């Protein structure tokens, strides 16, 4: 059982994250990949991911076991929708934190050579971790980012309704089937017995697409606002509908541009062309069509035009990934 102890200031400072926590999603999705969880949705997701997973990405399993503790430094909370930006704080982790987290993971057991080097903060080991994350995210997260965004937005709307109708205590009471609010404490089903005292810092609630079973928090909260990552409720999976792909609907090239736009919050035309593997002129033409359809919005900043996927575009990606 995890018992989270609130004071009046903590209730006033409790909020729901404004965007998905992409490093939490990345780490927690590895459990889907290895454990056969999440029902039909998980089966479909694994069928899409496994054939495209590069060998280097499998190195992450050395840091993320099937169950139990994984290093806190792997899951910094950043409000970014760009995976490259989400990884950066991991690579800037202080050596003291690297050493402490990896030693806690090892529990006195043997470590592989590259994890030993990572514990020391050595450049080649950090570069290996960076590339492993990027390879994994390219196969397991990027193609499904639209679905993650849509589900997260839906949960934020639900949380907003609870806050409007009954305040923070109503939100905590309706957070998850595995969490129960008994003022001034939130009791959460958890694999270990633990107390978390917020001490006036408040709590950041982070809905997660890939979180399973029960909420998750960090072992070491530090001085920052404590984080509680909790599972989203997924709709029943319609395998037949999943076969109607986005490419069937809008065409392969236009689908590639829309999916590229969903990978980062805002991108210029050259970046989208590069990520979708198209000529700059072709990407520009497809963006014009997507913009007229209300699937992307564009705005000028200086000499660049930046494009951002709309909620309608994210919803379309969710329904057809």
């Amino acid at each position: 059982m995890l018992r989270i102890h609130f004071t009046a200031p903590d209730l006033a400072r409790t909020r729901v994250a404004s965007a998905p926590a992409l490093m939490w999603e990345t780490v927690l999705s590895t459990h889907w990949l290895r454990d056969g969880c999440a029902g039909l949705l998980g089966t479909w997701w694994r069928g899409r991911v496994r054939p495209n997973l590069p060998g280097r990405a499998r190195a992450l399993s050395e840091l993320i076991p099937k169950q139990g503790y994984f290093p806190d430094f792997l899951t910094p909370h950043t409000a970014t929708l760009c995976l490259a930006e989400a990884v950066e704080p991991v690579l800037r982790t202080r050596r003291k934190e690297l050493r402490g987290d990896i030693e806690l993971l090892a529990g006195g057991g043997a470590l592989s050579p590259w994890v030993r080097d990572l514990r020391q903060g050595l450049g080649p080991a950090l570069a290996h971790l960076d590339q492993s994350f990027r390879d994994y995210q390219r196969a397991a997260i990027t193609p499904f980012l639209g679905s993650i965004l849509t589900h997260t937005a839906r949960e934020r709307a639900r949380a907003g309704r609870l806050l409007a109708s009954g305040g923070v205590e109503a939100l905590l009471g309706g957070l998850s089937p595995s969490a129960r609010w008994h003022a001034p404490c939130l009791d959460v089903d958890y694999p270990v017995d633990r107390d978390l005292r917020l001490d006036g810092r408040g709590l950041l609630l982070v809905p997660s697409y890939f979180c399973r079973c029960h909420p998750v928090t960090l072992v070491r909260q530090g001085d920052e606002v404590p984080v509680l990552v909790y599972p989203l409720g997924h709709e029943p999976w319609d395998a037949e509908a999943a076969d109607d792909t986005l490419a069937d609907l809008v065409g392969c090239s236009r689908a590639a541009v829309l999916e590229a736009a969903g990978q980062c919050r805002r991108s210029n035309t050259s970046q989208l062309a590069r990520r979708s593997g198209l000529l700059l002129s072709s990407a520009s033409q497809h963006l014009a069509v997507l913009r007229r359809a209300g699937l992307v919005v564009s705005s000028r900043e200086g000499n660049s035009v930046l494009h951002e996927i709309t909620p309608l575009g994210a919803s379309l990606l969710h329904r057809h990934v």
Side-chain angles (χ1 to χ4, degrees):
M1 179 72 69
L2 170 66
R3 292 171 294 274
I4 305 177
H5 300 268
F6 287 76
T7 63
D10 292 316
L11 290 172
R13 292 169 183 158
T14 293
R15 59 189 178 89
V16 180
S18 60
L22 294 182
M23 292 311 300
W24 277 102
E25 299 292 5
T26 300
V27 170
L28 293 173
S29 71
T30 66
H31 296 152
W32 278 35
L33 193 64
R34 290 181 291 178
D35 288 1
C37 58
L40 291 176
L41 174 59
T43 299
W44 176 85
W45 178 82
R46 284 186 291 275
R48 291 293 186 93
V49 171
R50 280 176 174 156
N52 300 309
L53 194 65
R56 191 196 300 259
R58 293 179 172 84
L60 293 178
S61 64
E62 297 181 53
L63 291 174
I64 310 169
K66 288 185 178 181
Q67 58 186 1
Y69 174 77
F70 53 81
D72 286 349
F73 76 86
L74 296 178
T75 52
H77 180 78
T78 53
T80 178
L81 297 181
C82 179
L83 286 162
E85 294 176 1
V87 174
E88 287 178 6
V90 176
L91 306 177
R92 296 198 302 268
T93 303
R94 293 177 298 180
R95 289 190 178 186
K96 180 179 179 180
E97 294 176 17
L98 286 172
R99 185 167 57 253
D101 285 0
I102 292 177
E103 287 176 355
L104 183 58
L105 171 70
L111 297 170
S112 68
W114 89 269
V115 177
R116 286 200 304 270
D117 289 346
L118 183 64
R119 181 179 56 184
Q120 302 303 319
L122 300 183
L126 287 166
H128 184 79
L129 178 64
D130 181 26
Q131 192 59 55
S132 297
F133 266 127
R134 291 174 189 271
D135 286 352
Y136 180 83
Q137 288 169 335
R138 191 176 299 115
I141 302 297
T142 297
F144 312 96
L145 193 54
S147 185
I148 294 169
L149 291 171
T150 299
H151 277 75
T152 302
R154 187 176 297 143
E155 172 59 20
R156 278 181 55 80
R158 186 189 75 89
R161 292 191 296 271
L162 287 172
L163 282 168
S165 63
V168 176
E169 293 192 73
L171 172 61
L172 294 173
L175 191 66
S176 166
S178 58
R180 294 159 297 282
W181 173 247
H182 303 293
C185 191
L186 182 67
D187 295 333
V188 180
D189 294 340
Y190 216 65
V192 296
D193 197 44
R194 183 180 170 196
D195 287 273
L196 171 59
R197 300 185 184 277
L198 302 180
D199 295 329
R201 295 170 294 175
L203 183 66
L204 179 62
L205 299 169
V206 183
S208 169
Y209 187 87
F210 287 106
C211 186
R212 56 177 185 167
C213 301
H214 57 75
V216 189
T217 190
L218 298 172
V219 170
R220 299 186 178 99
Q221 295 288 351
D223 296 326
E224 299 180 354
V225 177
V227 171
L228 184 70
V229 179
Y230 67 95
L232 290 169
H234 291 287
E235 296 175 348
W237 185 241
D238 186 346
E240 183 176 349
D243 291 333
D244 297 330
T245 65
L246 181 60
D248 293 332
L249 185 65
V250 300
C252 292
S253 297
R254 204 162 294 154
V257 174
L258 185 62
E259 289 173 357
Q263 293 174 17
C264 286
R265 189 175 69 86
R266 304 179 77 193
S267 304
N268 62 36
T269 308
S270 296
Q271 291 168 329
L272 293 178
R274 183 170 61 254
R275 288 203 295 267
S276 57
L278 299 174
L279 295 174
L280 182 62
S281 57
S282 296
S284 181
Q285 291 173 0
H286 291 308
L287 281 165
V289 176
L290 294 171
R291 188 164 49 248
R292 289 196 296 271
L295 303 179
V296 299
V297 292
S298 305
S299 60
R300 180 171 291 279
E301 287 193 8
N303 295 325
S304 297
V305 176
L306 300 180
H307 312 281
E308 183 173 0
I309 195 167
T310 66
L312 177 61
S315 178
L316 187 64
L317 278 176
H318 156 62
R319 293 184 181 279
H320 296 278
V321 291

